[in-house]
Amino acid sequence: ADAVLVAVGVRPHVEWLRGADVYDPRGVAVSPQGRANAHMWAAGDVVQGSKGHWAAALAHARSVARDIVGKSAVPVALPDYFWSDQYTHKLQVLGHADPESMLTSVHGSLDAMSFVGAYGSVDKISGALLIDQPKHLGRMRRLVGLEASVASCRDQVG
């Protein structure tokens, strides 16, 4: 590469691209493989619709690297993610929970503050809540991304 830029942040800072064909104040528009144009790729927070989390940026970077070297890049669909440490408890949320979504227990219990739950319907989950269960985060991230059933979640997590 003639130039590589590494930047950190959650709001796309793209003013330096003003005048370039890829400039958009909302971030760089890219293909699912991260291609902005014939000779430019972008990944992470500078991309429109970025998930704003390091795991998404890492997955995008892998897809970009595969595309650059001519290997087929599989588009990565990662659910939204955030976490919060509340005193001694770690709360992690994946995906989306619409107001009409049910929260169904997959593992543990809310009363014990050790819990994995799935949002959505029994047949198709749209999100997950984990309380003090970080070991199940990767598996639940994949299951939410696949819109798996609650039964599948219980089989793989419970």
Side-chain angles (χ1 to χ4, degrees):
D2 293 332
V4 174
L5 172 70
V6 176
V8 178
V10 294
R11 193 173 317 140
H13 181 73
V14 293
E15 288 302 313
W16 61 278
L17 289 170
R18 190 177 289 281
D21 68 338
V22 297
Y23 174 74
D24 186 317
R26 297 168 298 170
V28 178
V30 297
S31 72
Q33 293 76 25
R35 192 178 286 264
N37 65 29
H39 303 289
M40 185 182 296
W41 293 262
D45 297 341
V46 74
V47 171
Q48 283 183 17
S50 169
K51 299 291 186 186
H53 188 268
W54 63 265
L58 182 60
H60 290 153
R62 286 183 179 136
S63 289
V64 165
R66 290 185 61 82
D67 196 59
I68 288 171
V69 298
K71 294 185 177 182
S72 64
V74 177
V76 177
L78 290 176
D80 291 341
Y81 170 68
F82 75 90
W83 80 94
S84 178
D85 292 323
Q86 298 292 315
Y87 300 100
T88 61
H89 299 289
K90 178 175 287 300
L91 307 173
Q92 297 170 298
V93 179
L94 295 163
H96 298 279
D98 295 323
E100 60 275 357
S101 291
M102 307 184 300
L103 176 62
T104 305
S105 178
V106 171
H107 177 75
S109 77
L110 284 170
D111 290 337
M113 291 298 286
S114 179
F115 179 77
V116 177
Y119 287 103
S121 69
V122 173
D123 297 324
K124 183 175 164 182
I125 66 168
S126 61
L129 168 66
L130 294 84
I131 302 174
D132 290 342
Q133 290 291 323
K135 67 183 178 184
H136 296 301
L137 179 66
R139 190 168 294 120
M140 286 304 295
R141 179 180 283 135
R142 185 177 56 76
L143 291 166
V144 169
L146 293 171
E147 297 179 326
S149 67
V150 170
S152 293
C153 294
R154 285 189 178 132
D155 288 345
Q156 296 185 40
V157 174

